[in-house]
Amino acid sequence: MSEHIVSKKIYFVIFGALMLGTLLTVLAAFYDMDEKVFHGANTVVALTIAVIKATLVVLYFMHVRYSSRLTWVIVIAGFFWMGIMFALTFSDYWTRPTTSQPKSVSENVEHVR
Amino acid sequence: MATSHVDAAHSALAHHFDNMEQQREAGNLGMWVFLAQEVMFFGGLFLVYTLYRSSYPEAFAAASNHLNWKLGAVNTVVLIVSSLTMALAVYFAQTGVRRAQVLFLIVTMILGTTFLVIKAIEYYDKYKDHLIPVAGMFQWEGELPHGVATQHVQMFYWIYFAMTGLHALHMIIGLGIMTWLVYHAWRGRFTPEYHAPVEISGLYWHFVDIVWIFLFPLLYLLGRHVGGGH
């Protein structure tokens, strides 16, 4: 398989999309969706835009869309394992019966002050 | 029969590869394995961030609202433009236009330096405001909502400096790599047949851009909708 050269036009289109995403991120951040839509909506919107932007960078600027399947496996595995790290950590913290925060931190509160 | 230039071994071809294409592919894959490791590295930091932000949402919002989101936004734009110029540097390496390749590498370096200068200005502002989260230096002078403890505000600043600091370190390393690239690009070492170093460094630079794409909303904008002001 020979090298695929991404055209300059595609780079400029992706660049435009990334700038638009940045603008939307800022606008959305100042609009109180937590109050008007649901609690946490601001964070969900910010992260959704960030994930779309990151995906565009990976697929086009980093050429993954035109890369071998082996490259795809490595890329997906990297993010999948990060997902495991988050899922297992939070399955622990969110299911602790007494406290939802690391114990050492809550104990140290008085000492640090 | 005389061998054509396609069959002749390129001077940059290492002996353990069959041909340039296989070598390029292997190099790319190696960089992606490194970047998968980087995803885990920064992922750990994002995990810490998520954990403590979910524990102390008000403290994090109050602390974040003290950051200069306008400088953060300018830096986001600077970094995205630098990703475009890096992509173009790779393009001109692939198509064998030496001058444009050198030019875009230098523009990328200038933008990377701009980012670091703005970052330094921000750090200095935080220093002046006594927000360096080291024992004895941290002092929060603003109002805090009822029940919000100063040390949780301080914790946000630990996370802020750790994440942006390690991100900035990656940028400094990237600038070092690009200095090397500019030198060899100028000497005409990279051609349509051999430009793997430019391509692989591009992957690294774009990855650093991706990290910032997440850092900007998560650090600078998280509490703006609850009275962040302009």
Side-chain angles (χ1 to χ4, degrees):
Chain A
M1 134 177 194
S2 70
E3 184 180 22
H4 182 282
I5 297 178
V6 181
S7 74
K8 277 187 281 182
K9 192 186 158 198
I10 289 180
Y11 284 143
F12 283 114
V13 169
I14 297 302
F15 170 74
L18 293 174
M19 295 304 259
L20 184 68
T22 305
L23 181 69
L24 286 176
T25 303
V26 173
L27 291 178
F30 283 94
Y31 183 73
D32 194 353
M33 286 175 282
D34 279 10
E35 186 70 31
K36 296 183 183 97
V37 189
F38 64 89
H39 189 72
N42 275 93
T43 306
V44 171
V45 169
L47 281 178
T48 305
I49 298 172
V51 167
I52 292 170
K53 284 168 75 183
T55 308
L56 289 176
V57 173
V58 168
L59 287 180
Y60 295 96
F61 280 3
M62 298 169 94
H63 306 156
V64 167
R65 189 174 161 197
Y66 313 98
S67 295
S68 66
R69 291 211 180 158
L70 197 52
T71 310
W72 278 84
V73 170
I74 304 260
V75 175
I76 292 167
F79 288 102
F80 183 72
W81 253 259
M82 191 177 81
I84 293 176
M85 179 163 68
F86 270 76
L88 291 185
T89 306
F90 279 97
S91 69
D92 175 16
Y93 276 106
W94 285 346
T95 53
R96 290 186 187 192
T98 50
T99 172
S100 65
Q101 54 187 248
K103 211 176 175 192
S104 59
V105 173
S106 54
E107 278 175 351
N108 285 336
V109 164
E110 294 313 315
H111 306 294
V112 176
R113 296 202 93 159
Chain B
M1 203 175 110
T3 50
S4 72
H5 75 281
V6 178
D7 298 315
H10 190 284
S11 63
L13 181 65
H15 67 88
H16 51 289
F17 290 111
D18 287 342
N19 53 52
M20 291 305 283
E21 181 51 33
Q22 189 192 41
Q23 176 171 306
R24 195 189 70 84
E25 185 75 33
N28 248 326
L29 203 63
M31 192 61 192
W32 272 108
V33 171
F34 172 74
L35 292 182
Q37 174 276 135
E38 289 276 88
V39 168
M40 297 305 288
F41 173 77
F42 278 102
L45 292 165
F46 280 108
L47 178 70
V48 168
Y49 166 89
T50 313
L51 202 58
Y52 286 115
R53 182 179 152 186
S54 64
S55 297
Y56 314 112
E58 289 99 353
F60 269 50
S64 164
N65 284 347
H66 199 80
L67 292 177
N68 189 335
W69 75 268
K70 284 173 186 166
L71 287 183
V74 169
N75 257 351
T76 308
V77 172
V78 168
L79 218 48
I80 291 175
V81 177
S82 87
S83 249
L84 174 70
T85 57
M86 187 70 211
L88 290 172
V90 172
Y91 173 85
F92 286 115
Q94 288 171 326
T95 49
V97 187
R98 188 178 68 103
R99 277 182 173 276
Q101 184 197 339
V102 172
L103 176 75
F104 277 106
L105 282 174
I106 290 173
V107 172
T108 309
M109 288 181 73
I110 291 170
L111 289 163
T113 310
T114 307
F115 179 96
L116 289 172
V117 168
I118 293 175
K119 200 76 231 155
I121 291 169
E122 283 188 74
Y123 278 5
Y124 181 64
D125 284 346
K126 296 294 155 278
Y127 169 76
K128 280 195 300 189
D129 292 346
H130 308 290
L131 294 175
I132 307 293
V134 187
M137 282 185 84
F138 190 85
Q139 248 179 310
W140 181 262
E141 275 137 17
E143 290 280 309
L144 283 178
H146 181 70
V148 172
T150 315
Q151 64 268 23
H152 296 150
V153 175
Q154 185 175 356
M155 184 185 286
F156 172 86
Y157 278 95
W158 262 118
I159 292 171
Y160 166 77
F161 278 105
M163 294 184 91
T164 57
L166 283 165
H167 177 265
L169 179 66
H170 277 76
M171 305 250 333
I172 293 167
I173 292 168
L175 289 176
I177 293 168
M178 267 187 255
T179 310
W180 182 88
L181 283 181
V182 166
Y183 172 72
H184 287 285
W186 179 254
R187 295 188 60 185
R189 181 153 174 223
F190 306 125
T191 59
E193 291 79 37
Y194 174 70
H195 50 261
V198 188
E199 207 185 343
I200 285 172
S201 308
L203 292 180
Y204 176 83
W205 193 256
H206 297 311
F207 173 80
V208 175
D209 184 24
I210 289 175
V211 173
W212 186 259
I213 284 174
F214 284 95
L215 284 181
F216 172 56
L218 291 179
L219 291 177
Y220 289 79
L221 300 174
L222 75 99
R224 298 294 164 182
H225 60 286
V226 285
H230 292 256

